[in-house]
Amino acid sequence: MAIRYVCRHCRTMIGELEQRQVSEELLGFHFLTPEERQSIISYNPNGDMTVNVVCDYCKEALDNNPELSLVASPLQ
């Protein structure tokens, strides 16, 4: 099972973990509410997990231009 971290805005691959022994508790996912888990984490048919986060570039762009958060896909 691989865990891939992808930017939710620009879809850039941020990182990937290939370790089979990593638990969701170790990654801190147990702190998420069910709604947060559903919007942040997706499971692929092959057992891999994709975690949607915000990369540094998109975070800076959104911090400098808060109006971009009103657009569905601000940083494609």
Side-chain angles (χ1 to χ4, degrees):
M1 173 180 84
I3 302 168
R4 292 182 178 85
Y5 288 83
V6 177
C7 179
R8 69 173 54 247
H9 298 294
C10 67
R11 308 306 298 166
T12 298
M13 171 77 82
I14 297 170
E16 183 174 13
L17 297 172
E18 289 288 341
Q19 298 177 2
R20 308 252 184 254
Q21 305 296 345
V22 177
S23 68
E24 292 189 3
E25 287 78 24
L26 184 62
L27 296 171
F29 295 156
H30 64 288
F31 289 114
L32 300 173
T33 65
E35 294 80 18
E36 290 170 331
R37 286 178 68 86
Q38 186 175 6
S39 70
I40 295 172
I41 302 170
S42 61
Y43 297 90
N44 302 328
N46 65 354
D48 291 349
M49 180 187 305
T50 301
V51 182
N52 294 303
V53 294
V54 180
C55 70
D56 291 338
Y57 173 79
C58 290
K59 181 181 180 336
E60 183 178 334
L62 289 166
D63 287 347
N64 292 331
N65 303 287
E67 68 277 3
L68 290 175
S69 64
L70 301 173
V71 181
S73 295
L75 305 166
Q76 295 183 21

